[in-house]
Amino acid sequence: NLNATEYIIIENETTGQRRVERGQQMYTPQPLERVSEIKPMIILNNVDYLYVTHTDTGIIDIVEGPVKFCPGPYDKLSDIQKKIVLKNNEYVKIMDENSGVIRTVPGPATIVLRQFEKMNTNITKAFEVNDMSAVYIFDTSKELYDLITQHGMFIPSPVQEVIETRKKMLLEQNEAMVIIDKNGKYVIMKGNDNTSAFFLPPYCSILEQEWSNDIEK
């Protein structure tokens, strides 16, 4: 006696062929039929999915919810997986472990990972770039550092790695800083001219100075 969410696998002892019988029904086994135990169908909700390996062909399929899924006679099932749900200001990087290719998926999105895919980063919020905040990145394809200052929500491409967010330097009228540029030269930034507000450029660093008031000054 099979209810609406149950099934059995039947194998012909002579030919070895298998088939599935689904409920709801009363099933009477025929001569030379071997019947499995009664199995429950797989119930997948909106955010569920699983991988189905057809062992007779080697093909792998993905079954997404919501669905009441009845496996075939030669199917092998993975554990139930959860879809990745991204909000409007979020993104995630996903890597194909076979090819090594990385892709960036921005939200809003609902993602089902294909076979051999995995999350290369956690779900991350996009970076806000405005008058006071910039994003310092490294481009792995060009092997160059860059500073993103274009206003908006910044989501890195697959080849961009975010190093840090940088706040704008603000100098008062009586303040100054010394910046070491990529060529090792000293650049003086002063609060009483047009260098009073700036982002620290790529390949530059701040010169730290130690001052003393003692007899060894």
Side-chain angles (χ1 to χ4, degrees), residues 1 23 33 52 125 130 144 151 181 200 206 209:
N1 182 16
E33 284 187 343
V52 180
K125 287 188 176 181
N130 53 40
L144 294 174
H151 289 192
D181 69 13
L200 185 65
I206 299 172
Q209 304 177 68

mmCIF file with all atom_site columns, all heavy atoms in Angstrom, residues 1 23 33 52 125 130 144 151 181 200 206 209:
data_model
loop_
_atom_site.group_PDB
_atom_site.id
_atom_site.type_symbol
_atom_site.label_atom_id
_atom_site.label_alt_id
_atom_site.label_comp_id
_atom_site.label_asym_id
_atom_site.label_entity_id
_atom_site.label_seq_id
_atom_site.pdbx_PDB_ins_code
_atom_site.Cartn_x
_atom_site.Cartn_y
_atom_site.Cartn_z
_atom_site.occupancy
_atom_site.B_iso_or_equiv
_atom_site.pdbx_formal_charge
_atom_site.auth_seq_id
_atom_site.auth_comp_id
_atom_site.auth_asym_id
_atom_site.auth_atom_id
_atom_site.pdbx_PDB_model_num
ATOM 1  N N   . ASN A 1 1   ? 0.856  -1.181  0.000   1.00 0.00 ? 1   ASN A N   1
ATOM 2  C CA  . ASN A 1 1   ? 0.000  0.000   0.000   1.00 0.00 ? 1   ASN A CA  1
ATOM 3  C C   . ASN A 1 1   ? 0.897  1.237   0.000   1.00 0.00 ? 1   ASN A C   1
ATOM 4  O O   . ASN A 1 1   ? 1.569  1.537   0.987   1.00 0.00 ? 1   ASN A O   1
ATOM 5  C CB  . ASN A 1 1   ? -0.904 -0.014  1.230   1.00 0.00 ? 1   ASN A CB  1
ATOM 6  C CG  . ASN A 1 1   ? -1.850 1.172   1.246   1.00 0.00 ? 1   ASN A CG  1
ATOM 7  O OD1 . ASN A 1 1   ? -2.043 1.835   0.228   1.00 0.00 ? 1   ASN A OD1 1
ATOM 8  N ND2 . ASN A 1 1   ? -2.424 1.451   2.398   1.00 0.00 ? 1   ASN A ND2 1
ATOM 9  N N   . GLY A 1 23  ? 3.245  5.913   -5.483  1.00 0.00 ? 23  GLY A N   1
ATOM 10 C CA  . GLY A 1 23  ? 1.903  5.944   -4.931  1.00 0.00 ? 23  GLY A CA  1
ATOM 11 C C   . GLY A 1 23  ? 1.113  7.111   -5.504  1.00 0.00 ? 23  GLY A C   1
ATOM 12 O O   . GLY A 1 23  ? 1.672  7.972   -6.204  1.00 0.00 ? 23  GLY A O   1
ATOM 13 N N   . GLU A 1 33  ? 9.792  -10.850 -9.302  1.00 0.00 ? 33  GLU A N   1
ATOM 14 C CA  . GLU A 1 33  ? 10.065 -9.451  -8.992  1.00 0.00 ? 33  GLU A CA  1
ATOM 15 C C   . GLU A 1 33  ? 10.555 -9.321  -7.555  1.00 0.00 ? 33  GLU A C   1
ATOM 16 O O   . GLU A 1 33  ? 9.956  -9.882  -6.629  1.00 0.00 ? 33  GLU A O   1
ATOM 17 C CB  . GLU A 1 33  ? 8.814  -8.582  -9.180  1.00 0.00 ? 33  GLU A CB  1
ATOM 18 C CG  . GLU A 1 33  ? 8.493  -8.296  -10.627 1.00 0.00 ? 33  GLU A CG  1
ATOM 19 C CD  . GLU A 1 33  ? 7.356  -7.308  -10.769 1.00 0.00 ? 33  GLU A CD  1
ATOM 20 O OE1 . GLU A 1 33  ? 6.622  -7.088  -9.784  1.00 0.00 ? 33  GLU A OE1 1
ATOM 21 O OE2 . GLU A 1 33  ? 7.191  -6.778  -11.888 1.00 0.00 ? 33  GLU A OE2 1
ATOM 22 N N   . VAL A 1 52  ? 21.441 14.836  -8.528  1.00 0.00 ? 52  VAL A N   1
ATOM 23 C CA  . VAL A 1 52  ? 20.994 13.475  -8.839  1.00 0.00 ? 52  VAL A CA  1
ATOM 24 C C   . VAL A 1 52  ? 21.983 12.866  -9.830  1.00 0.00 ? 52  VAL A C   1
ATOM 25 O O   . VAL A 1 52  ? 22.143 13.369  -10.944 1.00 0.00 ? 52  VAL A O   1
ATOM 26 C CB  . VAL A 1 52  ? 19.573 13.468  -9.438  1.00 0.00 ? 52  VAL A CB  1
ATOM 27 C CG1 . VAL A 1 52  ? 19.143 12.032  -9.750  1.00 0.00 ? 52  VAL A CG1 1
ATOM 28 C CG2 . VAL A 1 52  ? 18.590 14.136  -8.492  1.00 0.00 ? 52  VAL A CG2 1
ATOM 29 N N   . LYS A 1 125 ? 28.895 42.380  1.567   1.00 0.00 ? 125 LYS A N   1
ATOM 30 C CA  . LYS A 1 125 ? 28.179 43.594  1.176   1.00 0.00 ? 125 LYS A CA  1
ATOM 31 C C   . LYS A 1 125 ? 29.022 44.394  0.188   1.00 0.00 ? 125 LYS A C   1
ATOM 32 O O   . LYS A 1 125 ? 30.245 44.443  0.295   1.00 0.00 ? 125 LYS A O   1
ATOM 33 C CB  . LYS A 1 125 ? 27.872 44.450  2.409   1.00 0.00 ? 125 LYS A CB  1
ATOM 34 C CG  . LYS A 1 125 ? 26.769 43.882  3.286   1.00 0.00 ? 125 LYS A CG  1
ATOM 35 C CD  . LYS A 1 125 ? 26.376 44.866  4.378   1.00 0.00 ? 125 LYS A CD  1
ATOM 36 C CE  . LYS A 1 125 ? 25.203 44.329  5.195   1.00 0.00 ? 125 LYS A CE  1
ATOM 37 N NZ  . LYS A 1 125 ? 24.783 45.285  6.253   1.00 0.00 ? 125 LYS A NZ  1
ATOM 38 N N   . ASN A 1 130 ? 32.230 57.085  -1.982  1.00 0.00 ? 130 ASN A N   1
ATOM 39 C CA  . ASN A 1 130 ? 31.681 58.441  -1.993  1.00 0.00 ? 130 ASN A CA  1
ATOM 40 C C   . ASN A 1 130 ? 32.810 59.447  -1.804  1.00 0.00 ? 130 ASN A C   1
ATOM 41 O O   . ASN A 1 130 ? 33.988 59.100  -1.935  1.00 0.00 ? 130 ASN A O   1
ATOM 42 C CB  . ASN A 1 130 ? 30.602 58.591  -0.911  1.00 0.00 ? 130 ASN A CB  1
ATOM 43 C CG  . ASN A 1 130 ? 31.092 58.158  0.463   1.00 0.00 ? 130 ASN A CG  1
ATOM 44 O OD1 . ASN A 1 130 ? 32.242 58.438  0.830   1.00 0.00 ? 130 ASN A OD1 1
ATOM 45 N ND2 . ASN A 1 130 ? 30.242 57.472  1.205   1.00 0.00 ? 130 ASN A ND2 1
ATOM 46 N N   . LEU A 1 144 ? 48.358 44.598  -10.544 1.00 0.00 ? 144 LEU A N   1
ATOM 47 C CA  . LEU A 1 144 ? 48.476 46.017  -10.235 1.00 0.00 ? 144 LEU A CA  1
ATOM 48 C C   . LEU A 1 144 ? 47.497 46.388  -9.126  1.00 0.00 ? 144 LEU A C   1
ATOM 49 O O   . LEU A 1 144 ? 46.400 45.829  -9.039  1.00 0.00 ? 144 LEU A O   1
ATOM 50 C CB  . LEU A 1 144 ? 48.178 46.874  -11.474 1.00 0.00 ? 144 LEU A CB  1
ATOM 51 C CG  . LEU A 1 144 ? 49.154 46.781  -12.650 1.00 0.00 ? 144 LEU A CG  1
ATOM 52 C CD1 . LEU A 1 144 ? 48.622 47.573  -13.831 1.00 0.00 ? 144 LEU A CD1 1
ATOM 53 C CD2 . LEU A 1 144 ? 50.532 47.294  -12.244 1.00 0.00 ? 144 LEU A CD2 1
ATOM 54 N N   . HIS A 1 151 ? 31.992 57.218  -7.602  1.00 0.00 ? 151 HIS A N   1
ATOM 55 C CA  . HIS A 1 151 ? 30.901 57.110  -6.643  1.00 0.00 ? 151 HIS A CA  1
ATOM 56 C C   . HIS A 1 151 ? 29.926 55.995  -7.023  1.00 0.00 ? 151 HIS A C   1
ATOM 57 O O   . HIS A 1 151 ? 29.650 55.754  -8.194  1.00 0.00 ? 151 HIS A O   1
ATOM 58 C CB  . HIS A 1 151 ? 30.141 58.440  -6.549  1.00 0.00 ? 151 HIS A CB  1
ATOM 59 C CG  . HIS A 1 151 ? 30.932 59.515  -5.871  1.00 0.00 ? 151 HIS A CG  1
ATOM 60 N ND1 . HIS A 1 151 ? 30.370 60.702  -5.463  1.00 0.00 ? 151 HIS A ND1 1
ATOM 61 C CD2 . HIS A 1 151 ? 32.239 59.588  -5.519  1.00 0.00 ? 151 HIS A CD2 1
ATOM 62 C CE1 . HIS A 1 151 ? 31.290 61.459  -4.900  1.00 0.00 ? 151 HIS A CE1 1
ATOM 63 N NE2 . HIS A 1 151 ? 32.436 60.803  -4.936  1.00 0.00 ? 151 HIS A NE2 1
ATOM 64 N N   . ASP A 1 181 ? 56.004 58.441  -2.400  1.00 0.00 ? 181 ASP A N   1
ATOM 65 C CA  . ASP A 1 181 ? 55.338 57.927  -3.595  1.00 0.00 ? 181 ASP A CA  1
ATOM 66 C C   . ASP A 1 181 ? 56.003 56.640  -4.077  1.00 0.00 ? 181 ASP A C   1
ATOM 67 O O   . ASP A 1 181 ? 56.945 56.132  -3.458  1.00 0.00 ? 181 ASP A O   1
ATOM 68 C CB  . ASP A 1 181 ? 55.277 58.986  -4.690  1.00 0.00 ? 181 ASP A CB  1
ATOM 69 C CG  . ASP A 1 181 ? 56.639 59.311  -5.286  1.00 0.00 ? 181 ASP A CG  1
ATOM 70 O OD1 . ASP A 1 181 ? 57.608 58.569  -5.043  1.00 0.00 ? 181 ASP A OD1 1
ATOM 71 O OD2 . ASP A 1 181 ? 56.727 60.330  -6.013  1.00 0.00 ? 181 ASP A OD2 1
ATOM 72 N N   . LEU A 1 200 ? 44.973 58.415  -0.016  1.00 0.00 ? 200 LEU A N   1
ATOM 73 C CA  . LEU A 1 200 ? 46.328 57.913  -0.194  1.00 0.00 ? 200 LEU A CA  1
ATOM 74 C C   . LEU A 1 200 ? 46.380 57.097  -1.480  1.00 0.00 ? 200 LEU A C   1
ATOM 75 O O   . LEU A 1 200 ? 45.703 56.083  -1.609  1.00 0.00 ? 200 LEU A O   1
ATOM 76 C CB  . LEU A 1 200 ? 46.735 57.044  0.999   1.00 0.00 ? 200 LEU A CB  1
ATOM 77 C CG  . LEU A 1 200 ? 48.178 56.546  1.014   1.00 0.00 ? 200 LEU A CG  1
ATOM 78 C CD1 . LEU A 1 200 ? 49.145 57.715  1.155   1.00 0.00 ? 200 LEU A CD1 1
ATOM 79 C CD2 . LEU A 1 200 ? 48.392 55.541  2.141   1.00 0.00 ? 200 LEU A CD2 1
ATOM 80 N N   . ILE A 1 206 ? 52.639 56.592  4.104   1.00 0.00 ? 206 ILE A N   1
ATOM 81 C CA  . ILE A 1 206 ? 52.793 57.789  4.925   1.00 0.00 ? 206 ILE A CA  1
ATOM 82 C C   . ILE A 1 206 ? 54.133 57.712  5.661   1.00 0.00 ? 206 ILE A C   1
ATOM 83 O O   . ILE A 1 206 ? 54.464 56.691  6.266   1.00 0.00 ? 206 ILE A O   1
ATOM 84 C CB  . ILE A 1 206 ? 51.637 57.906  5.927   1.00 0.00 ? 206 ILE A CB  1
ATOM 85 C CG1 . ILE A 1 206 ? 50.301 58.031  5.176   1.00 0.00 ? 206 ILE A CG1 1
ATOM 86 C CG2 . ILE A 1 206 ? 51.835 59.094  6.858   1.00 0.00 ? 206 ILE A CG2 1
ATOM 87 C CD1 . ILE A 1 206 ? 49.098 57.959  6.079   1.00 0.00 ? 206 ILE A CD1 1
ATOM 88 N N   . GLN A 1 209 ? 57.208 59.992  11.427  1.00 0.00 ? 209 GLN A N   1
ATOM 89 C CA  . GLN A 1 209 ? 58.341 60.697  12.022  1.00 0.00 ? 209 GLN A CA  1
ATOM 90 C C   . GLN A 1 209 ? 58.254 60.633  13.542  1.00 0.00 ? 209 GLN A C   1
ATOM 91 O O   . GLN A 1 209 ? 57.153 60.693  14.102  1.00 0.00 ? 209 GLN A O   1
ATOM 92 C CB  . GLN A 1 209 ? 58.352 62.159  11.563  1.00 0.00 ? 209 GLN A CB  1
ATOM 93 C CG  . GLN A 1 209 ? 58.362 62.302  10.042  1.00 0.00 ? 209 GLN A CG  1
ATOM 94 C CD  . GLN A 1 209 ? 58.286 63.750  9.622   1.00 0.00 ? 209 GLN A CD  1
ATOM 95 O OE1 . GLN A 1 209 ? 59.226 64.505  9.841   1.00 0.00 ? 209 GLN A OE1 1
ATOM 96 N NE2 . GLN A 1 209 ? 57.159 64.135  9.037   1.00 0.00 ? 209 GLN A NE2 1
#
